[in-house]
Amino acid sequence: MNYSPAEIEAKWQRVWSETKAYEPANDFSKPKKYVLSMFPYPSGRIHMGHVRNYTIGDAFARYYRQQGFNVLHPIGWDSFGMPAENAAIKHGVHPKKWTYENIATMRGELAGLGLSFSEEREFATSNPEYTAFEQAFIIDMFEKGLLYRKQGFLNWCPHDQTVLANEQVVEGGCWRCGTPIEQKEMYQYYLKISDYAEELLESLKSLEGKWPKQVLTMQENWIGKSYGLEFRFKLDEASEAKLGAVYEGFDVFTTRPDTIYGVSYAALAPEHEIVRHMLSFGLLDEANAEAIRAMQRVGARERATQPKAGVALGIDVIHPLTGAKVPVWVANFVLTDYGSGAVMAVPAHDERDYEFASKYNLPVNPVIFPAEGELPSGCAYTEAGILRESGEFSGLDNTAAKAAIMDYFEANKLGKKVVNFRLKDWGISRQRYWGAPIPLIHCESCGIVPEKKENLPVSLPEDVEITGEGNPLDHHLSWKHCTCPKCGKAAIRETDTMDTFIQSSWYFLRYTVKNDFKEAFDPKALEYWMNVDHYIGGIEHAILHLLYARFFTKMLRDLGYTKSSEPFEHLLTQGMVLKDGAKMSKSKGNTVDPGELVAKYGADTARLFILFAAPPTQELEWNDSAVEGAFRFLKRFADRSQKVTPTQTIPLIDHSSLCKEEKAARKKVYEALKRAQDVYTERHTFNTLIAGVMEAMNALNEQNHPGVWSEGYWILSAIMEPIVPHLCWELSQNLFGGKNFGPQKVLDEVFEVDAVALGVSVNGKNRATIEVGVGESNEAILAAAKAAVEKWIDGKEILKEIVVPGKLVNLVIKG
Ligand code: ANZ
Ligand code: ZN
């Protein structure tokens, strides 16, 4: 066979599509596998990362089809988002046109790789049907209180008068004009992920051993559960009066109540209510007021990297245990949306408090001392130790003290034990055009009213001008002005659109039906197909996408849509594709175009290279000569098929009648098969599978038995099919009537050893090696051994004969 990939690849891609070879069966009694690679954003062209992602998924899908599973292997497009709007601003092309043209291009590129996707389930998340279902969920969530509106801080460019996404803030400035961004408080919508924090954390346990450990740890840290004490600092009388008797005090959250006797100041976030009160009532001098306003203008992420800064507020609180006066500061390291936005500061035992205290000359009062040795100087002591200067708690070790102090606070009604989560509610409002509109309406009489479900989708108007300033929906008056669904009066549509992470939080559920299915889901199909058995994608999605998708699935479960709780059974995070040691990226100019690669060598070579060059979870370094090598191997695999006698069944071979080389070849073939089964189902190290096939090929070439050749190709082309499908389908059709793809049986007889090699030594020196049949008697072994070392025995008397079965023979001779 002359290997010409261009011809056979086009042919098989046509056949697969025409025969709907990759549409799953609608038979829910069959065992199933749901294999999913994370869907792409239609950015323009596919890149090597896509090739890797989809080739890995395709290998799983094709393997499970061979094993007789009903396989769902879908693809779609995560097609809302900012790049489409940026293209509109830059090139004046409408986001919709840009998006759908990119989809068409990329669909063609993916098809050229021979990926076994279902075509009947493909959709783009910007399709109006998808938006309609999504908006219905959002209305349900709003009605259940899972979606709510509150004020939150947004990045604001005072020059362009527009809200900016975090990605549009470059080094603290607007990406377009460079003006320093400010924090502006605006109404936004939030999904109550905090209600699910406990479950999201708890059910990570069910994923142990099935998801990479690293991802589980990242999610756990992101959710960030901590236990501690919340108590109230009361203002002293003078301070209470100074604030106009509006506040009695404020709450703080601490995870280290054991350090409470070491408190030297209290600190409030710049956005804290008391701070705002003091600002608006002019209770601070102008310099301090301006310093605080400057802190407020900096975004939370930016603050974390800035030096500690603060302002003394000139008010005091009372220490709840000692009654001492504690000064109150504003500090830029106190976050407004964590705990209660205020802390008790213990510089002696907390790094941030220490840094701040050093800068402003605040006292450092150590109360925890190491059991042995000295307290270190010049830094905070954050380790375990024994309490001193801590009233009745002195002498306790700090773990016991923590419990005792919390009990004391609870018993005396001074405070309570609390659990805090780092996880914040998910702000889903985006002031952008190219997204799914939030289906809510503002009515002066009725408040916020959801759109009627029969009117969904609330679709985007197409006649918009996209300039990058403000939100185009806000300027589109005929779209924005509507009537209230409840009272019929004039009302205004919400102009915020949803975060695109919403679309990717449930697309995998929608794939369980064909894309023309009229409802969002078919409960029977959902129950059958979910969960996704293998989910494959980049590690960059370890936190947000996977967390949101887990959360959304749980919400949809509680709304009665699905029974799944954890959508992804197994997760494989693929490594990056590198070139010259750096991540391939357009900005670095080190990309390799998959299209050129396929045009030059064919899709099978591209797929083989990608899976052979590295295990899927590790980084893959681009290597031109390895691509050449992959191509040459396929060419050889095709050429040698000439030795195969066509057959419609796997040949039956009498193993014992074969010569050494023939036996060795069969053994290598079946070793490759065993390895393939292990790789596809357990280890996913496709590179070792391919190495096994290469060895088997070499061994086949050392012999000439027609049956062994046919059997070898029957098996090797079956186990290679998930990786290089076009060539294998061609071979299968030409040689085996297309009958060899299916579960292959490992024959144990080829692994039976019929001879072993034994070393023979004379007086401890290794002199020869003999081959002995398995089960041979000791006499026969000794006879063979003596014959082999005759010239070293040289007629001398043998004093001792030792046979270690399976290993060696040792002869001790005189002299
Ligand atoms: C006193 C203390 C002493 C603290 C000490 C730590 C060490 P995790 O573990 O991450 O939950 N904290 C509380 N609210 C905060 C806020 N809004 N912004 C910044 N920091 C805040 O962190 C809890 C600890 O972080 C709390 O315990 C508090 O400082 C601080 F030796 O209280 B600690
Ligand atoms: Zn109304």
Side-chain angles (χ1 to χ4, degrees), residues 167-197:
E167 311 79 59
Q168 294 174 312
V169 179
V170 181
E171 287 170 13
C174 170
W175 66 306
R176 296 184 67 218
C177 65
T179 309
I181 60 115
E182 295 181 358
Q183 295 299 300
K184 191 169 166 178
E185 204 167 22
M186 294 173 66
Y187 277 103
Q188 294 202 81
Y189 293 89
Y190 291 85
L191 278 174
K192 254 196 183 162
I193 194 169
S194 58
D195 271 10
Y196 286 80

PDB file of all heavy atoms in Angstrom, residues 167-197:
ATOM      1  N   GLU A 167      -9.709  41.819  33.088  1.00  0.00           N
ATOM      2  CA  GLU A 167      -8.688  41.620  32.054  1.00  0.00           C
ATOM      3  C   GLU A 167      -8.404  42.903  31.283  1.00  0.00           C
ATOM      4  O   GLU A 167      -7.448  42.988  30.536  1.00  0.00           O
ATOM      5  CB  GLU A 167      -9.109  40.555  31.031  1.00  0.00           C
ATOM      6  CG  GLU A 167      -9.614  39.239  31.581  1.00  0.00           C
ATOM      7  CD  GLU A 167     -11.050  39.314  32.039  1.00  0.00           C
ATOM      8  OE1 GLU A 167     -11.912  39.642  31.219  1.00  0.00           O
ATOM      9  OE2 GLU A 167     -11.311  39.068  33.238  1.00  0.00           O
ATOM     10  N   GLN A 168      -9.295  43.874  31.428  1.00  0.00           N
ATOM     11  CA  GLN A 168      -9.090  45.127  30.685  1.00  0.00           C
ATOM     12  C   GLN A 168      -8.333  46.154  31.509  1.00  0.00           C
ATOM     13  O   GLN A 168      -8.141  47.281  31.080  1.00  0.00           O
ATOM     14  CB  GLN A 168     -10.448  45.713  30.292  1.00  0.00           C
ATOM     15  CG  GLN A 168     -11.193  44.849  29.297  1.00  0.00           C
ATOM     16  CD  GLN A 168     -12.579  45.390  29.052  1.00  0.00           C
ATOM     17  OE1 GLN A 168     -13.327  45.701  29.983  1.00  0.00           O
ATOM     18  NE2 GLN A 168     -12.936  45.508  27.792  1.00  0.00           N
ATOM     19  N   VAL A 169      -7.944  45.732  32.708  1.00  0.00           N
ATOM     20  CA  VAL A 169      -7.154  46.636  33.538  1.00  0.00           C
ATOM     21  C   VAL A 169      -5.703  46.210  33.396  1.00  0.00           C
ATOM     22  O   VAL A 169      -5.332  45.097  33.767  1.00  0.00           O
ATOM     23  CB  VAL A 169      -7.595  46.544  35.008  1.00  0.00           C
ATOM     24  CG1 VAL A 169      -6.751  47.479  35.865  1.00  0.00           C
ATOM     25  CG2 VAL A 169      -9.070  46.871  35.132  1.00  0.00           C
ATOM     26  N   VAL A 170      -4.892  47.068  32.795  1.00  0.00           N
ATOM     27  CA  VAL A 170      -3.497  46.719  32.556  1.00  0.00           C
ATOM     28  C   VAL A 170      -2.629  47.608  33.437  1.00  0.00           C
ATOM     29  O   VAL A 170      -2.640  48.829  33.302  1.00  0.00           O
ATOM     30  CB  VAL A 170      -3.150  46.906  31.059  1.00  0.00           C
ATOM     31  CG1 VAL A 170      -1.699  46.511  30.814  1.00  0.00           C
ATOM     32  CG2 VAL A 170      -4.092  46.091  30.185  1.00  0.00           C
ATOM     33  N   GLU A 171      -1.914  46.960  34.342  1.00  0.00           N
ATOM     34  CA  GLU A 171      -1.078  47.671  35.312  1.00  0.00           C
ATOM     35  C   GLU A 171      -1.821  48.837  35.952  1.00  0.00           C
ATOM     36  O   GLU A 171      -1.327  49.963  36.012  1.00  0.00           O
ATOM     37  CB  GLU A 171       0.217  48.144  34.662  1.00  0.00           C
ATOM     38  CG  GLU A 171       1.158  46.971  34.412  1.00  0.00           C
ATOM     39  CD  GLU A 171       2.360  47.337  33.555  1.00  0.00           C
ATOM     40  OE1 GLU A 171       2.583  48.545  33.365  1.00  0.00           O
ATOM     41  OE2 GLU A 171       3.038  46.412  33.096  1.00  0.00           O
ATOM     42  N   GLY A 172      -3.034  48.554  36.397  1.00  0.00           N
ATOM     43  CA  GLY A 172      -3.800  49.565  37.123  1.00  0.00           C
ATOM     44  C   GLY A 172      -4.435  50.630  36.253  1.00  0.00           C
ATOM     45  O   GLY A 172      -5.086  51.546  36.747  1.00  0.00           O
ATOM     46  N   GLY A 173      -4.249  50.533  34.916  1.00  0.00           N
ATOM     47  CA  GLY A 173      -4.819  51.550  34.028  1.00  0.00           C
ATOM     48  C   GLY A 173      -5.776  50.947  33.019  1.00  0.00           C
ATOM     49  O   GLY A 173      -5.823  49.733  32.838  1.00  0.00           O
ATOM     50  N   CYS A 174      -6.556  51.831  32.374  1.00  0.00           N
ATOM     51  CA  CYS A 174      -7.488  51.391  31.343  1.00  0.00           C
ATOM     52  C   CYS A 174      -6.710  50.873  30.140  1.00  0.00           C
ATOM     53  O   CYS A 174      -5.747  51.497  29.705  1.00  0.00           O
ATOM     54  CB  CYS A 174      -8.381  52.567  30.935  1.00  0.00           C
ATOM     55  SG  CYS A 174      -9.377  52.234  29.473  1.00  0.00           S
ATOM     56  N   TRP A 175      -7.132  49.742  29.589  1.00  0.00           N
ATOM     57  CA  TRP A 175      -6.417  49.143  28.464  1.00  0.00           C
ATOM     58  C   TRP A 175      -6.455  50.026  27.223  1.00  0.00           C
ATOM     59  O   TRP A 175      -5.613  49.905  26.342  1.00  0.00           O
ATOM     60  CB  TRP A 175      -7.000  47.764  28.133  1.00  0.00           C
ATOM     61  CG  TRP A 175      -8.417  47.814  27.623  1.00  0.00           C
ATOM     62  CD1 TRP A 175      -9.478  48.404  28.242  1.00  0.00           C
ATOM     63  CD2 TRP A 175      -8.923  47.291  26.406  1.00  0.00           C
ATOM     64  NE1 TRP A 175     -10.608  48.263  27.505  1.00  0.00           N
ATOM     65  CE2 TRP A 175     -10.307  47.573  26.357  1.00  0.00           C
ATOM     66  CE3 TRP A 175      -8.339  46.580  25.343  1.00  0.00           C
ATOM     67  CZ2 TRP A 175     -11.112  47.194  25.280  1.00  0.00           C
ATOM     68  CZ3 TRP A 175      -9.160  46.194  24.283  1.00  0.00           C
ATOM     69  CH2 TRP A 175     -10.532  46.503  24.258  1.00  0.00           C
ATOM     70  N   ARG A 176      -7.444  50.936  27.143  1.00  0.00           N
ATOM     71  CA  ARG A 176      -7.558  51.735  25.926  1.00  0.00           C
ATOM     72  C   ARG A 176      -6.829  53.069  26.047  1.00  0.00           C
ATOM     73  O   ARG A 176      -6.150  53.493  25.131  1.00  0.00           O
ATOM     74  CB  ARG A 176      -9.026  51.979  25.592  1.00  0.00           C
ATOM     75  CG  ARG A 176      -9.755  50.678  25.277  1.00  0.00           C
ATOM     76  CD  ARG A 176     -11.190  50.948  24.857  1.00  0.00           C
ATOM     77  NE  ARG A 176     -11.259  51.647  23.591  1.00  0.00           N
ATOM     78  CZ  ARG A 176     -12.140  52.596  23.309  1.00  0.00           C
ATOM     79  NH1 ARG A 176     -13.014  52.985  24.211  1.00  0.00           N
ATOM     80  NH2 ARG A 176     -12.145  53.161  22.126  1.00  0.00           N
ATOM     81  N   CYS A 177      -7.039  53.745  27.198  1.00  0.00           N
ATOM     82  CA  CYS A 177      -6.493  55.101  27.296  1.00  0.00           C
ATOM     83  C   CYS A 177      -5.444  55.241  28.385  1.00  0.00           C
ATOM     84  O   CYS A 177      -4.814  56.287  28.494  1.00  0.00           O
ATOM     85  CB  CYS A 177      -7.622  56.108  27.519  1.00  0.00           C
ATOM     86  SG  CYS A 177      -8.451  55.881  29.106  1.00  0.00           S
ATOM     87  N   GLY A 178      -5.253  54.190  29.197  1.00  0.00           N
ATOM     88  CA  GLY A 178      -4.202  54.253  30.207  1.00  0.00           C
ATOM     89  C   GLY A 178      -4.564  55.026  31.463  1.00  0.00           C
ATOM     90  O   GLY A 178      -3.801  55.028  32.429  1.00  0.00           O
ATOM     91  N   THR A 179      -5.727  55.658  31.491  1.00  0.00           N
ATOM     92  CA  THR A 179      -6.143  56.397  32.683  1.00  0.00           C
ATOM     93  C   THR A 179      -6.216  55.448  33.884  1.00  0.00           C
ATOM     94  O   THR A 179      -6.757  54.347  33.749  1.00  0.00           O
ATOM     95  CB  THR A 179      -7.546  57.010  32.456  1.00  0.00           C
ATOM     96  OG1 THR A 179      -7.527  57.710  31.226  1.00  0.00           O
ATOM     97  CG2 THR A 179      -7.945  57.930  33.595  1.00  0.00           C
ATOM     98  N   PRO A 180      -5.673  55.868  35.042  1.00  0.00           N
ATOM     99  CA  PRO A 180      -5.761  54.974  36.214  1.00  0.00           C
ATOM    100  C   PRO A 180      -7.216  54.630  36.509  1.00  0.00           C
ATOM    101  O   PRO A 180      -8.071  55.508  36.524  1.00  0.00           O
ATOM    102  CB  PRO A 180      -5.169  55.818  37.353  1.00  0.00           C
ATOM    103  CG  PRO A 180      -4.316  56.843  36.668  1.00  0.00           C
ATOM    104  CD  PRO A 180      -4.958  57.114  35.345  1.00  0.00           C
ATOM    105  N   ILE A 181      -7.486  53.345  36.720  1.00  0.00           N
ATOM    106  CA  ILE A 181      -8.866  52.952  36.962  1.00  0.00           C
ATOM    107  C   ILE A 181      -9.237  53.213  38.414  1.00  0.00           C
ATOM    108  O   ILE A 181      -8.378  53.286  39.283  1.00  0.00           O
ATOM    109  CB  ILE A 181      -9.133  51.473  36.605  1.00  0.00           C
ATOM    110  CG1 ILE A 181      -8.247  50.563  37.434  1.00  0.00           C
ATOM    111  CG2 ILE A 181      -8.985  51.209  35.140  1.00  0.00           C
ATOM    112  CD1 ILE A 181      -9.039  49.717  38.356  1.00  0.00           C
ATOM    113  N   GLU A 182     -10.518  53.385  38.647  1.00  0.00           N
ATOM    114  CA  GLU A 182     -11.025  53.601  39.993  1.00  0.00           C
ATOM    115  C   GLU A 182     -12.027  52.506  40.322  1.00  0.00           C
ATOM    116  O   GLU A 182     -12.535  51.828  39.439  1.00  0.00           O
ATOM    117  CB  GLU A 182     -11.717  54.969  40.063  1.00  0.00           C
ATOM    118  CG  GLU A 182     -10.731  56.098  39.854  1.00  0.00           C
ATOM    119  CD  GLU A 182     -11.376  57.454  39.949  1.00  0.00           C
ATOM    120  OE1 GLU A 182     -12.617  57.516  40.146  1.00  0.00           O
ATOM    121  OE2 GLU A 182     -10.643  58.448  39.825  1.00  0.00           O
ATOM    122  N   GLN A 183     -12.303  52.402  41.610  1.00  0.00           N
ATOM    123  CA  GLN A 183     -13.334  51.463  42.041  1.00  0.00           C
ATOM    124  C   GLN A 183     -14.632  52.228  42.176  1.00  0.00           C
ATOM    125  O   GLN A 183     -14.705  53.202  42.908  1.00  0.00           O
ATOM    126  CB  GLN A 183     -12.951  50.851  43.382  1.00  0.00           C
ATOM    127  CG  GLN A 183     -11.704  50.000  43.311  1.00  0.00           C
ATOM    128  CD  GLN A 183     -11.868  48.840  42.370  1.00  0.00           C
ATOM    129  OE1 GLN A 183     -12.735  47.996  42.556  1.00  0.00           O
ATOM    130  NE2 GLN A 183     -11.063  48.792  41.322  1.00  0.00           N
ATOM    131  N   LYS A 184     -15.630  51.799  41.449  1.00  0.00           N
ATOM    132  CA  LYS A 184     -16.893  52.497  41.529  1.00  0.00           C
ATOM    133  C   LYS A 184     -17.963  51.514  42.014  1.00  0.00           C
ATOM    134  O   LYS A 184     -18.022  50.382  41.545  1.00  0.00           O
ATOM    135  CB  LYS A 184     -17.261  53.043  40.143  1.00  0.00           C
ATOM    136  CG  LYS A 184     -18.414  54.005  40.209  1.00  0.00           C
ATOM    137  CD  LYS A 184     -18.604  54.736  38.901  1.00  0.00           C
ATOM    138  CE  LYS A 184     -19.953  55.407  38.939  1.00  0.00           C
ATOM    139  NZ  LYS A 184     -20.260  56.179  37.763  1.00  0.00           N
ATOM    140  N   GLU A 185     -18.776  51.980  42.937  1.00  0.00           N
ATOM    141  CA  GLU A 185     -19.780  51.089  43.485  1.00  0.00           C
ATOM    142  C   GLU A 185     -21.028  51.143  42.616  1.00  0.00           C
ATOM    143  O   GLU A 185     -21.604  52.209  42.406  1.00  0.00           O
ATOM    144  CB  GLU A 185     -20.106  51.501  44.916  1.00  0.00           C
ATOM    145  CG  GLU A 185     -20.648  50.340  45.695  1.00  0.00           C
ATOM    146  CD  GLU A 185     -20.682  50.605  47.184  1.00  0.00           C
ATOM    147  OE1 GLU A 185     -20.678  51.776  47.571  1.00  0.00           O
ATOM    148  OE2 GLU A 185     -20.738  49.622  47.937  1.00  0.00           O
ATOM    149  N   MET A 186     -21.435  49.986  42.110  1.00  0.00           N
ATOM    150  CA  MET A 186     -22.596  49.934  41.224  1.00  0.00           C
ATOM    151  C   MET A 186     -23.421  48.696  41.530  1.00  0.00           C
ATOM    152  O   MET A 186     -22.913  47.736  42.101  1.00  0.00           O
ATOM    153  CB  MET A 186     -22.124  49.855  39.765  1.00  0.00           C
ATOM    154  CG  MET A 186     -21.401  51.115  39.338  1.00  0.00           C
ATOM    155  SD  MET A 186     -20.687  50.934  37.729  1.00  0.00           S
ATOM    156  CE  MET A 186     -22.121  50.795  36.728  1.00  0.00           C
ATOM    157  N   TYR A 187     -24.668  48.716  41.089  1.00  0.00           N
ATOM    158  CA  TYR A 187     -25.508  47.532  41.277  1.00  0.00           C
ATOM    159  C   TYR A 187     -25.085  46.429  40.321  1.00  0.00           C
ATOM    160  O   TYR A 187     -24.838  46.673  39.147  1.00  0.00           O
ATOM    161  CB  TYR A 187     -26.975  47.883  41.055  1.00  0.00           C
ATOM    162  CG  TYR A 187     -27.578  48.467  42.306  1.00  0.00           C
ATOM    163  CD1 TYR A 187     -27.787  49.838  42.431  1.00  0.00           C
ATOM    164  CD2 TYR A 187     -27.896  47.628  43.375  1.00  0.00           C
ATOM    165  CE1 TYR A 187     -28.323  50.364  43.592  1.00  0.00           C
ATOM    166  CE2 TYR A 187     -28.425  48.151  44.543  1.00  0.00           C
ATOM    167  CZ  TYR A 187     -28.632  49.517  44.647  1.00  0.00           C
ATOM    168  OH  TYR A 187     -29.147  50.017  45.796  1.00  0.00           O
ATOM    169  N   GLN A 188     -25.037  45.239  40.875  1.00  0.00           N
ATOM    170  CA  GLN A 188     -24.653  44.084  40.073  1.00  0.00           C
ATOM    171  C   GLN A 188     -25.446  42.880  40.535  1.00  0.00           C
ATOM    172  O   GLN A 188     -25.940  42.856  41.655  1.00  0.00           O
ATOM    173  CB  GLN A 188     -23.200  43.750  40.346  1.00  0.00           C
ATOM    174  CG  GLN A 188     -22.240  44.772  39.912  1.00  0.00           C
ATOM    175  CD  GLN A 188     -20.901  44.083  39.750  1.00  0.00           C
ATOM    176  OE1 GLN A 188     -20.651  43.446  38.742  1.00  0.00           O
ATOM    177  NE2 GLN A 188     -20.078  44.180  40.755  1.00  0.00           N
ATOM    178  N   TYR A 189     -25.482  41.859  39.693  1.00  0.00           N
ATOM    179  CA  TYR A 189     -26.165  40.613  40.066  1.00  0.00           C
ATOM    180  C   TYR A 189     -25.147  39.587  40.522  1.00  0.00           C
ATOM    181  O   TYR A 189     -24.052  39.495  39.972  1.00  0.00           O
ATOM    182  CB  TYR A 189     -26.963  40.072  38.884  1.00  0.00           C
ATOM    183  CG  TYR A 189     -28.112  40.976  38.553  1.00  0.00           C
ATOM    184  CD1 TYR A 189     -27.948  42.030  37.666  1.00  0.00           C
ATOM    185  CD2 TYR A 189     -29.344  40.808  39.180  1.00  0.00           C
ATOM    186  CE1 TYR A 189     -28.997  42.894  37.384  1.00  0.00           C
ATOM    187  CE2 TYR A 189     -30.392  41.666  38.910  1.00  0.00           C
ATOM    188  CZ  TYR A 189     -30.215  42.708  38.015  1.00  0.00           C
ATOM    189  OH  TYR A 189     -31.243  43.552  37.772  1.00  0.00           O
ATOM    190  N   TYR A 190     -25.572  38.827  41.536  1.00  0.00           N
ATOM    191  CA  TYR A 190     -24.695  37.803  42.099  1.00  0.00           C
ATOM    192  C   TYR A 190     -25.430  36.468  42.190  1.00  0.00           C
ATOM    193  O   TYR A 190     -26.616  36.439  42.505  1.00  0.00           O
ATOM    194  CB  TYR A 190     -24.258  38.189  43.520  1.00  0.00           C
ATOM    195  CG  TYR A 190     -23.321  39.369  43.545  1.00  0.00           C
ATOM    196  CD1 TYR A 190     -23.833  40.669  43.539  1.00  0.00           C
ATOM    197  CD2 TYR A 190     -21.948  39.180  43.556  1.00  0.00           C
ATOM    198  CE1 TYR A 190     -22.970  41.758  43.546  1.00  0.00           C
ATOM    199  CE2 TYR A 190     -21.080  40.265  43.565  1.00  0.00           C
ATOM    200  CZ  TYR A 190     -21.596  41.553  43.554  1.00  0.00           C
ATOM    201  OH  TYR A 190     -20.749  42.615  43.563  1.00  0.00           O
ATOM    202  N   LEU A 191     -24.712  35.397  41.927  1.00  0.00           N
ATOM    203  CA  LEU A 191     -25.243  34.055  42.192  1.00  0.00           C
ATOM    204  C   LEU A 191     -24.686  33.596  43.534  1.00  0.00           C
ATOM    205  O   LEU A 191     -23.499  33.763  43.815  1.00  0.00           O
ATOM    206  CB  LEU A 191     -24.841  33.081  41.089  1.00  0.00           C
ATOM    207  CG  LEU A 191     -25.708  33.106  39.835  1.00  0.00           C
ATOM    208  CD1 LEU A 191     -25.112  32.183  38.765  1.00  0.00           C
ATOM    209  CD2 LEU A 191     -27.145  32.679  40.141  1.00  0.00           C
ATOM    210  N   LYS A 192     -25.567  32.983  44.323  1.00  0.00           N
ATOM    211  CA  LYS A 192     -25.226  32.652  45.706  1.00  0.00           C
ATOM    212  C   LYS A 192     -24.411  31.380  45.818  1.00  0.00           C
ATOM    213  O   LYS A 192     -24.846  30.387  46.401  1.00  0.00           O
ATOM    214  CB  LYS A 192     -26.518  32.473  46.497  1.00  0.00           C
ATOM    215  CG  LYS A 192     -26.794  33.638  47.411  1.00  0.00           C
ATOM    216  CD  LYS A 192     -27.842  33.248  48.424  1.00  0.00           C
ATOM    217  CE  LYS A 192     -28.177  34.436  49.297  1.00  0.00           C
ATOM    218  NZ  LYS A 192     -29.438  34.237  49.983  1.00  0.00           N
ATOM    219  N   ILE A 193     -23.218  31.409  45.286  1.00  0.00           N
ATOM    220  CA  ILE A 193     -22.363  30.222  45.380  1.00  0.00           C
ATOM    221  C   ILE A 193     -21.995  29.964  46.846  1.00  0.00           C
ATOM    222  O   ILE A 193     -21.727  28.831  47.240  1.00  0.00           O
ATOM    223  CB  ILE A 193     -21.111  30.364  44.473  1.00  0.00           C
ATOM    224  CG1 ILE A 193     -20.396  29.018  44.292  1.00  0.00           C
ATOM    225  CG2 ILE A 193     -20.156  31.416  44.995  1.00  0.00           C
ATOM    226  CD1 ILE A 193     -19.320  29.036  43.219  1.00  0.00           C
ATOM    227  N   SER A 194     -22.049  31.026  47.669  1.00  0.00           N
ATOM    228  CA  SER A 194     -21.682  30.846  49.082  1.00  0.00           C
ATOM    229  C   SER A 194     -22.639  29.880  49.783  1.00  0.00           C
ATOM    230  O   SER A 194     -22.255  29.190  50.717  1.00  0.00           O
ATOM    231  CB  SER A 194     -21.638  32.194  49.806  1.00  0.00           C
ATOM    232  OG  SER A 194     -22.888  32.839  49.702  1.00  0.00           O
ATOM    233  N   ASP A 195     -23.883  29.801  49.320  1.00  0.00           N
ATOM    234  CA  ASP A 195     -24.827  28.829  49.892  1.00  0.00           C
ATOM    235  C   ASP A 195     -24.343  27.396  49.667  1.00  0.00           C
ATOM    236  O   ASP A 195     -24.796  26.476  50.343  1.00  0.00           O
ATOM    237  CB  ASP A 195     -26.200  28.930  49.203  1.00  0.00           C
ATOM    238  CG  ASP A 195     -27.105  29.937  49.895  1.00  0.00           C
ATOM    239  OD1 ASP A 195     -26.601  30.675  50.765  1.00  0.00           O
ATOM    240  OD2 ASP A 195     -28.309  29.981  49.556  1.00  0.00           O
ATOM    241  N   TYR A 196     -23.506  27.205  48.668  1.00  0.00           N
ATOM    242  CA  TYR A 196     -23.064  25.859  48.291  1.00  0.00           C
ATOM    243  C   TYR A 196     -21.618  25.589  48.709  1.00  0.00           C
ATOM    244  O   TYR A 196     -21.063  24.558  48.354  1.00  0.00           O
ATOM    245  CB  TYR A 196     -23.226  25.662  46.782  1.00  0.00           C
ATOM    246  CG  TYR A 196     -24.671  25.489  46.357  1.00  0.00           C
ATOM    247  CD1 TYR A 196     -25.507  26.586  46.215  1.00  0.00           C
ATOM    248  CD2 TYR A 196     -25.196  24.223  46.124  1.00  0.00           C
ATOM    249  CE1 TYR A 196     -26.836  26.433  45.847  1.00  0.00           C
ATOM    250  CE2 TYR A 196     -26.523  24.061  45.754  1.00  0.00           C
ATOM    251  CZ  TYR A 196     -27.341  25.164  45.616  1.00  0.00           C
ATOM    252  OH  TYR A 196     -28.651  25.002  45.245  1.00  0.00           O
ATOM    253  N   ALA A 197     -21.022  26.541  49.444  1.00  0.00           N
ATOM    254  CA  ALA A 197     -19.593  26.406  49.768  1.00  0.00           C
ATOM    255  C   ALA A 197     -19.311  25.081  50.477  1.00  0.00           C
ATOM    256  O   ALA A 197     -18.392  24.348  50.110  1.00  0.00           O
ATOM    257  CB  ALA A 197     -19.147  27.581  50.631  1.00  0.00           C
TER     258      ALA A 197
END
